[in-house]
Amino acid sequence: MDKRVVITGYGVVTPFGLGEDPILDKVFEGEHCFRPLQSIDTSRSYTKVGGEAPVEERSYKFFTEYCTERALVMAGLDPENHRSSLEKAAVAVGNLGDGTHLLNYYEQFSPDWEAEEFANRKSEFMRSEGDQPVSIHDSNPYEQAAAVAGIIGSTGERLAFTNACVASANAIGYGFDQVRKGRTPVSVAGGINVLYPIVFYNFDSSRAMAEEVVRPFSKHRSGLLIGDGAAILVLEELEHALSRGAEPLAEMIGWGLSSDGFHITQPDPEGDGLARSMKTALRQANCRPEEVDYINAHGTGTPLNDSSETNALKQVFGEYARKIPVSSTKSTTGHMLEATGAVEAIISVLALTHGRIPPTANFVETDEGLDLDYVTEGSRQKSLDVVMSNSRAFGGNNCTLLFRRWNGGESS
């Protein structure tokens, strides 16, 4: 028999700062983060703004450590006192996986390594000591998962997910399955992303980015904007959590994963792949479409995605699609790439716990065919029982996570 899985803790970084308070103050108020970039030379780029976290050290190492340690504290899990549980924990982390990490490693062998042009590139991946060489170990995509495992003392399964912008959502789904199937009492899962020059220039050269702000589902939308983000969640078997006196924040009840099989960068216009992902999550959770109270959309603000996602929602929910509040928090945070699914999972949990729906900010005018309730008027108070969160990625990847408000232990 499948186990029930609850979320007992999390740590999060967004372009607004550390923790959940900036999310409640900014994201739920519809205030965007987009500012002129300081860490990237934008003199020859079309886009010159993005979302940089206002923290002293913007590095994979700091984001990973902060989110993991914060998640453990919130969950009431101590690596010493709960060693037997955390030793068995599964670890799954989504992060950059295209080899960009290795650039910092190889650059240090250049005779010009200490030159000014290289000096500013040392922060994203290397250790926080700052003057130490970048090791090949620190520069590999699995390093964040290894770091999380080291912090919690896990000797269990450890995976790095690198399937682009569904990576952290996929990692959470994997962690959920490990607990649901009784393979481990605890999973620690999420994703890490630090805005990186090459990635920024790739998006800029493709003309996929907006010039000033992101306007999801609006007639005048022109693209996405990218930025920093990180989130780590503790997923725990319900009885294990209750036996140690933990208070669940929300229950995860299902997830789905699919691929479009359509195009390497363009989504299927009809949204068939995303529709399959949502249907899989609903079926696994034994949840009827009309039970979903709010959908945190992928909503990148690109013309193709927003139309395709709207079509997918209509496929799955039929006429009920027009009654469900749907919003894109990327209108405020920007797209945090490999970390965005995990950050938006936390935003979904906050929506459940606070009974509040974050808005789609920067909306200008309704577009033809985009006729759902996109929550454009501002934050909305509403009692929520079930929240869905969608993620999509290049390669035609789709991932859906489904959460239920913690009901005090009653059967789902």
Side-chain angles (χ1 to χ4, degrees):
M1 182 177 178
D2 289 346
K3 308 289 186 180
R4 292 177 66 183
V5 183
V6 293
I7 298 166
T8 54
Y10 59 77
V12 61
V13 178
T14 67
F16 295 110
L18 305 177
E20 66 271 20
D21 287 345
I23 295 175
L24 294 169
D25 292 342
K26 304 294 186 180
V27 175
F28 280 78
E29 292 298 327
E31 182 176 328
H32 72 74
C33 69
F34 311 122
R35 303 289 185 271
L37 292 170
Q38 304 300 309
S39 65
I40 295 175
D41 179 4
T42 61
S43 60
R44 290 179 289 181
S45 64
Y46 169 77
T47 298
K48 302 181 185 302
V49 299
E52 293 168 310
V55 296
E56 185 174 343
E57 183 185 342
R58 295 174 51 252
S59 71
Y60 275 79
K61 181 177 186 291
F62 173 72
F63 284 7
T64 301
E65 290 177 351
Y66 170 82
C67 289
T68 306
E69 290 168 0
R70 175 61 182 158
L72 290 179
V73 169
M74 187 182 291
L77 286 168
D78 181 84
E80 290 299 323
N81 296 332
H82 301 96
R83 180 178 299 178
S84 61
S85 296
L86 291 175
E87 278 183 341
K88 305 171 189 173
V91 172
V93 180
N95 51 248
L96 187 64
D98 63 359
T100 304
H101 293 72
L102 294 172
L103 180 63
N104 286 53
Y105 173 73
Y106 288 115
E107 276 185 340
Q108 69 188 331
F109 298 108
S110 164
D112 299 322
W113 170 245
E114 295 302 331
E116 182 66 26
E117 63 182 290
F118 289 117
N120 293 330
R121 301 188 197 174
K122 295 184 179 181
S123 63
E124 289 92 351
F125 303 115
M126 71 182 303
R127 297 183 181 278
S128 60
E129 288 77 37
D131 58 351
Q132 299 298 313
V134 182
S135 75
I136 190 75
H137 178 68
D138 293 336
S139 305
N140 276 292
Y142 58 72
E143 169 56 19
Q144 278 62 61
V148 172
I151 292 168
I152 70 174
S154 170
T155 58
E157 295 187 8
R158 181 178 76 194
L159 277 80
F161 286 82
T162 60
N163 46 344
C165 302
V166 302
S168 59
N170 197 161
I172 291 170
Y174 172 84
F176 169 75
D177 276 350
Q178 300 313 298
V179 177
R180 184 171 67 100
K181 291 302 182 182
R183 297 165 187 151
T184 177
V186 178
S187 286
V188 179
I192 313 292
N193 179 67
V194 181
L195 185 59
Y196 192 65
I198 288 180
V199 176
F200 176 84
Y201 295 138
N202 284 343
F203 274 95
D204 186 74
S205 65
S206 71
R207 290 295 186 266
M209 293 202 288
E211 187 174 3
E212 296 179 346
V213 296
V214 181
R215 304 186 188 278
F217 305 110
S218 176
K219 185 175 183 178
H220 300 285
R221 65 193 184 277
S222 59
L224 51 82
L225 290 170
I226 60 177
D228 297 333
I232 296 293
L233 295 84
V234 175
L235 304 168
E236 195 167 351
E237 193 272 316
L238 174 60
E239 294 305 320
H240 182 273
L242 296 179
S243 69
R244 62 181 187 82
E247 180 64 27
L249 304 171
E251 184 172 3
M252 185 167 171
I253 57 176
W255 77 296
L257 189 68
S258 71
S259 62
D260 289 350
F262 178 76
H263 190 273
I264 190 65
T265 58
Q266 297 178 19
D268 176 359
E270 298 304 314
D272 291 346
L274 180 58
R276 288 195 300 275
S277 175
M278 290 188 278
K279 289 176 181 178
T280 299
L282 291 167
R283 184 169 58 249
Q284 186 182 77
N286 194 27
C287 180
R288 300 188 307 276
E290 57 269 24
E291 291 182 76
V292 177
D293 298 306
Y294 162 59
I295 298 170
N296 185 289
H298 184 59
T300 56
T302 63
L304 294 178
N305 173 84
D306 296 359
S307 175
S308 170
E309 187 166 11
T310 295
N311 289 337
L313 291 170
K314 291 177 180 178
Q315 271 198 57
V316 175
F317 293 95
E319 286 302 312
Y320 184 63
R322 291 178 171 82
K323 300 178 182 179
I324 308 174
V326 178
S327 72
S328 169
T329 49
K330 290 183 182 69
S331 61
T332 58
T333 65
H335 198 334
M336 298 161 284
L337 305 180
E338 291 83 6
T340 202
V343 174
E344 289 171 4
I346 291 172
I347 292 173
S348 298
V349 170
L350 289 170
L352 284 168
T353 57
H354 288 265
R356 191 177 175 200
I357 298 173
T360 299
N362 314 316
F363 190 87
V364 176
E365 184 180 347
T366 300
D367 198 3
E368 183 179 358
L370 275 62
D371 52 359
L372 304 183
D373 176 6
Y374 299 117
V375 196
T376 59
E377 77 284 0
S379 180
R380 187 182 301 176
Q381 292 294 136
K382 178 179 170 64
S383 179
L384 305 172
D385 287 319
V386 177
V387 169
M388 174 180 283
S389 183
N390 283 330
S391 295
R392 310 180 85 178
F394 285 168
N397 294 292
N398 306 284
C399 191
T400 299
L401 306 179
L402 205 56
F403 304 98
R404 190 189 301 275
R405 180 170 56 88
W406 171 240
N407 57 16
E410 297 177 9
S411 178
S412 300

